[in-house]
């Protein structure tokens, strides 16, 4: 799931650009792709939550206890908290397709994990896995009739 952030940061800027410049009939396909991408970032948030739980369990296992009081909340902690909590807003139908929300999430993901720190090891295995997850997310939204083109007035 760590590749989801990289794939989101690589594809969504193009989807947003094409949706602002595209023709009206192509905008619906692009907005569907943006909605699915926003929904898949929730998997990345769950991945981060699982990593935090793992760090806590490791600290308990090694019996590491802080000797001094914990530092006040800094900007990195707030940023990580936003990266974990903001993707869950994409469960709301109006937010999922919002371009401003996608732009905000994109900037936050770039800020949290800059391009120089991306893990591109075994990229040719991660890309098909992400495409499969994308297709599964698209199918799930289609079956639940939650895609943006399915909710527009006829």
């Amino acid at each position: 799931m760590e590749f989801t952030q990289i794939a989101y940061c690589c594809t969504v800027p193009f989807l947003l650009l094409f949706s602002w410049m595209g023709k009206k009939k192509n905008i619906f396909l692009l907005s569907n792709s943006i909605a699915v991408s926003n929904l898949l970032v929730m998997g990345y948030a769950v991945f981060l939550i699982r990593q935090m739980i793992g760090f806590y369990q490791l600290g308990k296992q090694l019996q590491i206890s802080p000797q001094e009081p914990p530092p006040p909340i800094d900007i990195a902690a707030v940023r990580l908290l936003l990266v974990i909590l903001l993707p869950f807003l994409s469960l709301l139908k109006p937010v999922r397709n919002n371009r401003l929300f996608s732009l905000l999430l994109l900037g936050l993901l770039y800020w949290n994990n800059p391009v120089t720190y991306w893990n591109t090891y075994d990229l040719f295995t991660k890309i098909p896995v992400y495409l499969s997850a994308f297709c599964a997310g698209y199918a799930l939204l289609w079956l639940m009739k939650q895609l943006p083109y399915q909710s527009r007035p006829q």
Side-chain angles (χ1 to χ4, degrees), residues 15 32-34 36-37 40 129-139:
L15 292 173
N32 292 338
S33 300
I34 291 170
V36 173
S37 295
L40 287 179
V129 170
Y130 177 76
L131 290 176
S132 299
F134 188 86
C135 290
Y138 195 94

Side-chain angles (χ1 to χ4, degrees), residues 83-101:
V83 168
I84 289 174
L85 294 178
L86 257 154
F88 288 103
L89 286 178
S90 64
L91 288 173
L92 303 171
K93 198 172 187 178
V95 175
R96 186 181 312 136
N97 190 32
N98 192 342
R99 292 179 189 158
L100 184 61
F101 173 73

Side-chain angles (χ1 to χ4, degrees), residues 25-100:
K25 65 178 182 176
N26 294 337
I27 289 176
F28 292 115
L29 177 64
L30 293 170
S31 65
N32 292 338
S33 300
I34 291 170
V36 173
S37 295
N38 286 341
L39 197 63
L40 287 179
V41 176
M42 278 190 340
Y44 179 66
V46 170
F47 168 74
L48 289 176
I49 291 169
R50 180 63 191 122
Q51 278 190 329
M52 295 298 120
I53 291 171
F55 286 140
Y56 174 73
Q57 290 173 345
L58 179 66
K60 277 181 65 175
Q61 193 75 17
L62 296 175
Q63 298 174 351
I64 298 173
S65 61
Q67 301 299 327
E68 56 190 48
I73 296 178
D74 59 344
I75 194 71
V78 171
R79 184 176 61 208
L80 184 63
L81 191 64
L82 285 174
V83 168
I84 289 174
L85 294 178
L86 257 154
F88 288 103
L89 286 178
S90 64
L91 288 173
L92 303 171
K93 198 172 187 178
V95 175
R96 186 181 312 136
N97 190 32
N98 192 342
R99 292 179 189 158
L100 184 61

Side-chain angles (χ1 to χ4, degrees), residues 138-149:
Y138 195 94
L140 179 69
L141 288 179
W142 179 73
L143 285 172
M144 293 177 11
K145 298 198 183 308
Q146 296 289 316
L147 286 172
Y149 86 90

